[in-house]
């Protein structure tokens, strides 16, 4: 079955702009989570959605937001981009929400802010 | 806040050597997972360990979960160039006593195996 699909794979934005990243989970998966990966901070949790509701949020400023649609697809948005937002943004999906759950990552969206 | 510390951060070895990567925490985790990530790709789950003292083997990779469920190790026997990558340990974070899909990741170990 198809894996987690993220679009776009690569993008370059200018400081102050906003960006929207998209994630299509594995078919049948209802939980989608987002992570930011940078060389300095490693993988950090952004937020998790299940049944169109945000269930958990990491320690990121309000410029980072997301949503989930009825078909489980998810988008995340970063407004007023800063140079430090340059990172690999990873989406992961899982069947349900809860401990011991196996999550599957997409290949990520590489964002460069100049 | 639950933290996971991995060591070493970098490992450069010759093909055929053995190596061990450690993942330690002062907190108890209900389970720990190990991922491998290759350049330009997302992390791929290798194994999940759940029971304290559990040992799991995946071909030349051996994973162990500490008895107290605060630490884990990954041992690779006779490393091959194809083992090169970023190895990450991760555990579910507790939020208000209920675990969600939020994972806490270690900083990772970059392994390079030279032919």
């Amino acid at each position: 079955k198809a894996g987690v699909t993220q679009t776009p794979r690569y993008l370059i934005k200018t400081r102050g702009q906003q960006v929207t990243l998209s994630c299509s989970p594995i078919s049948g998966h209802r939980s989608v989570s987002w992570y930011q990966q940078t060389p300095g901070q490693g993988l950090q949790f952004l937020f998790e959605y299940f049944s169109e509701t945000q269930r958990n949020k990491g320690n990121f400023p309000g410029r980072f937001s997301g949503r989930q649609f009825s078909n489980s697809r998810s988008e995340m948005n970063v407004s007023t981009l800063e140079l430090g937002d340059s990172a690999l943004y990873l989406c992961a999906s899982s069947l349900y929400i809860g401990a011991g759950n196996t999550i599957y990552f997409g290949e990520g969206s590489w964002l460069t802010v100049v | 806040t639950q933290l996971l510390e991995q060591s070493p951060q970098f490992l450069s070895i010759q093909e055929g050597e053995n190596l061990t990567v450690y993942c330690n925490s002062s907190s108890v985790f209900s389970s720990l997972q190990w991922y491998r990530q290759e350049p330009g790709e997302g992390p791929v789950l290798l194994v999940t360990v759940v029971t304290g003292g559990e040992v799991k083997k995946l071909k030349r990779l051996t994973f162990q979960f500490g008895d107290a469920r605060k630490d884990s190790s990954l041992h690779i026997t006779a490393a091959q160039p194809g083992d090169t990558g970023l190895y990450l340990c991760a555990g579910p974070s507790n939020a208000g006593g209920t675990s969600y899909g939020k994972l806490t990741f270690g900083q990772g170990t970059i392994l390079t195996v030279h032919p």
Side-chain angles (χ1 to χ4, degrees), chain A residues 9 35 37 40-43 45 48 55-57 88 90 97-103 105-107 110, chain B residues 30-31 33 35 37 40-45 48 86 88 92 95 99-107:
Chain A
R9 284 296 315 275
Y35 290 80
Q37 186 174 28
Q41 298 298 319
L43 268 154
F45 174 80
E48 178 179 30
R55 303 291 177 150
N56 210 342
K57 190 176 189 305
L88 176 64
L90 291 161
I97 189 170
N101 196 12
T102 298
I103 68 173
F105 283 89
E107 293 182 324
W110 286 94
Chain B
S30 58
S31 64
Q33 300 175 338
Y35 292 82
Q37 184 178 18
E41 308 289 331
V44 175
L45 178 67
T48 300
L86 173 66
L88 296 154
S99 290
Y100 294 87
K102 173 182 177 181
L103 291 175
T104 295
F105 280 86
Q107 285 291 87

Side-chain angles (χ1 to χ4, degrees), chain B:
Chain B
T1 304
Q2 296 172 301
L3 295 175
L4 285 168
E5 295 184 4
Q6 276 186 248
S7 62
Q9 272 190 285
F10 302 94
L11 206 46
S12 179
I13 61 172
Q14 294 297 126
E15 182 175 2
E17 293 184 8
N18 301 332
L19 66 110
T20 302
V21 177
Y22 300 93
C23 177
N24 296 299
S25 176
S26 58
S27 305
V28 174
F29 281 86
S30 58
S31 64
L32 278 180
Q33 300 175 338
W34 285 91
Y35 292 82
R36 189 175 90 177
Q37 184 178 18
E38 299 189 30
E41 308 289 331
V44 175
L45 178 67
L46 295 174
V47 76
T48 300
V49 286
V50 179
T51 307
E54 182 177 6
V55 176
K56 281 191 174 180
K57 292 193 175 184
L58 185 65
K59 296 183 181 178
R60 293 176 293 100
L61 279 60
T62 301
F63 304 86
Q64 186 163 6
F65 201 13
D67 291 340
R69 292 185 289 132
K70 291 183 178 182
D71 57 88
S72 181
S73 64
L74 157 61
H75 182 80
I76 301 180
T77 303
Q80 299 177 359
D83 296 326
T84 294
L86 173 66
Y87 289 82
L88 296 154
C89 65
S93 297
N94 292 327
T98 303
S99 290
Y100 294 87
K102 173 182 177 181
L103 291 175
T104 295
F105 280 86
Q107 285 291 87
T109 296
I110 298 175
L111 170 65
T112 304
V113 183
H114 301 279

Side-chain angles (χ1 to χ4, degrees), chain A residues 49-98:
Chain A
Y49 289 87
F50 183 78
S51 294
E52 302 176 65
T53 303
Q54 187 179 91
R55 303 291 177 150
N56 210 342
K57 190 176 189 305
N59 294 325
F60 279 83
R63 300 185 297 106
F64 291 80
S65 63
R67 58 178 174 168
Q68 186 180 33
F69 302 96
S70 58
N71 61 359
S72 294
R73 193 176 68 84
S74 177
E75 289 181 348
M76 68 162 282
N77 184 278
V78 187
S79 62
T80 319
L81 284 165
E82 301 177 359
L83 294 179
D85 296 332
S86 295
L88 176 64
Y89 289 88
L90 291 161
C91 170
S93 77
S94 57
L95 271 174
Y96 55 89
I97 189 170

